[in-house]
Amino acid sequence: MEWKNIYRGILMGATEVIPGISSGTIALLLGIYERLIEAINGFFSKDWRKHLGFLIPLGIGMVAAVFAFAKVIEWLFNHHPMPTLFFFLGLILGVLPYLLYKADAKNSFRLKHVGMMLLGVIIIATLGLLSVGEGVIITNITPKTYAFLFLSGMIGSSAMILPGISGSFMLLVLGVYPTVIAAVSNLHFDIIIVTGLGIAIGFIIMSRVVGYFLRNHFTITFAAAIGLVGGSVFVVFPGIPQTVGMFFVSVLTFFAGLLTAYILGRIEYK
C-alpha cells in the first residue's frame, strides 16, 4: 500500500467540493496524474493488486476529505468567499510552472502545442461565463431523481478526471450541487450512494480516454492539460476586492496559495 497517497487524496478530495477547482489539477501538481490514470485503467487487469495498493489509500483520503471538509468549505464560502477563492487562485497559478516542467515545454512545445494550450484556456474560460444559479436542494426524491443524480455523477466525474475542469462546477451547472453537498453534510446515504456510483463509472470511462491520449499523444495532451488549468483562473477569479482590508487579506491568501503550490511541487518533483 502506498500510504503516502492518503495525504494526496485528502488534498484532492478537499478541492473537489469546491466549484471551479479540479482534483485533476491537484493530481498534476502532486506528480501522480499519469499514475492515477494508469491505476484506474489497470484496476480490471491482471495487475489489479498493484493498482489497488495505489488507489485504496488515495480513495480513503479523498472520501475522508469530502466528508470532513464539506461543512468547512461551505462555511468558508458563506463567510469568507473572496479570500478563499484567492487562495485557490494562487494555488492554480503556482501549479503552472511545474506542469510546464513536467511537459518539458521549453524543448518539446511547438506551435500546435501552444495552440492546444490556448484552446484549453478558451474552453474553460467559456464554461466560466456560463450563467449558473445556485440551484435548490432537491427534497422530493423520486426514481427519476435518482437516475438524474446518477447521470450527473457520471458527467461530473468525467470532468473531475480532467485538469482544470471541476466536477463540482459541472454538478453546479447541472443544478444538483446543493443537493449533493447537503447529502454529504447530513449523511443522506441514498443520494450519496447513487451519485457515488455514477462518479465511479464516469471515472472508469474517462480515465480510459485520457490514458489513451497520454500513451499515444503525450506532449499535446499535456499542452491541453496546461491550457485547461490556466483557463480555470477565469472560473475562480472573484473580482477585485472592494475594501482595503479585504484586498490585504486576499493578497495574503493568494500568496499562501502560491506558497502551498511551491512546497507541494518541491516535495513531489524533487
Side-chain angles (χ1 to χ4, degrees):
M1 291 288 180
E2 299 182 39
W3 295 112
K4 186 179 180 181
N5 278 351
I6 289 182
Y7 105 84
R8 291 165 170 163
I10 289 172
L11 292 174
M12 292 172 64
T15 59
E16 264 315 324
V17 298
I18 306 164
I21 311 297
S22 168
S23 61
T25 300
I26 302 301
L28 276 170
L29 171 61
L30 295 174
I32 62 168
Y33 185 74
E34 295 163 77
R35 179 70 180 87
L36 173 63
I37 298 298
E38 178 190 352
I40 296 173
N41 289 335
F43 183 70
F44 299 101
S45 70
K46 62 181 180 181
D47 296 323
W48 63 272
R49 288 185 179 85
K50 178 185 72 173
H51 297 302
L52 205 60
F54 177 88
L55 290 172
I56 286 178
L58 195 71
I60 290 172
M62 290 186 71
V63 171
V66 167
F67 280 97
F69 287 103
K71 288 185 180 295
V72 174
I73 295 299
E74 187 177 22
W75 184 86
L76 284 172
F77 271 92
N78 285 335
H79 295 87
H80 306 286
M82 187 161 286
T84 303
L85 286 170
F86 267 99
F87 173 83
F88 286 107
L89 191 64
L91 188 65
I92 291 168
L93 289 174
V95 166
L96 293 175
Y98 293 104
L99 299 189
L100 292 168
Y101 166 78
K102 176 73 174 178
D104 192 23
K106 185 177 179 180
N107 298 312
S108 61
F109 274 22
R110 303 292 182 266
L111 185 60
K112 65 179 180 179
H113 302 112
V114 175
M116 185 59 70
M117 284 176 56
L118 291 176
L119 180 61
V121 170
I122 291 169
I123 289 172
I124 301 302
T126 301
L127 281 177
L129 294 175
L130 289 175
S131 177
V132 181
E134 291 185 359
V136 296
I137 296 174
I138 301 171
T139 55
N140 182 26
I141 305 297
T142 66
K144 187 181 292 186
T145 306
Y146 286 128
F148 183 59
L149 287 169
F150 177 82
L151 181 62
S152 298
M154 283 188 64
I155 295 171
S157 67
S158 296
M160 202 181 298
I161 202 74
L162 295 171
I165 305 180
S166 165
S168 298
F169 180 74
M170 292 307 298
L171 293 180
L172 195 62
V173 170
L174 293 167
V176 300
Y177 178 76
T179 302
V180 173
I181 286 297
V184 172
S185 297
N186 299 291
L187 300 181
H188 294 158
F189 287 107
D190 56 334
I191 294 175
I192 292 170
I193 291 170
V194 169
T195 310
L197 285 173
I199 288 172
I201 292 173
F203 256 128
I204 293 169
I205 294 172
M206 185 53 69
S207 67
R208 291 190 176 277
V209 175
V210 175
Y212 169 82
F213 281 101
L214 282 173
R215 288 191 304 272
N216 297 282
H217 309 283
F218 177 84
T219 304
I220 201 160
T221 302
F222 239 83
I226 294 169
L228 294 174
V229 173
S232 64
V233 167
F234 295 94
V235 176
V236 175
F237 181 62
I240 304 297
Q242 298 300 306
T243 65
V244 174
M246 184 57 67
F247 181 84
F248 179 72
V249 173
S250 297
V251 168
L252 284 179
T253 56
F254 173 76
F255 280 104
L258 283 177
L259 180 62
T260 301
Y262 174 78
I263 292 171
L264 289 173
R266 293 288 294 177
I267 292 172
E268 300 292 345
Y269 284 83
K270 62 184 178 180

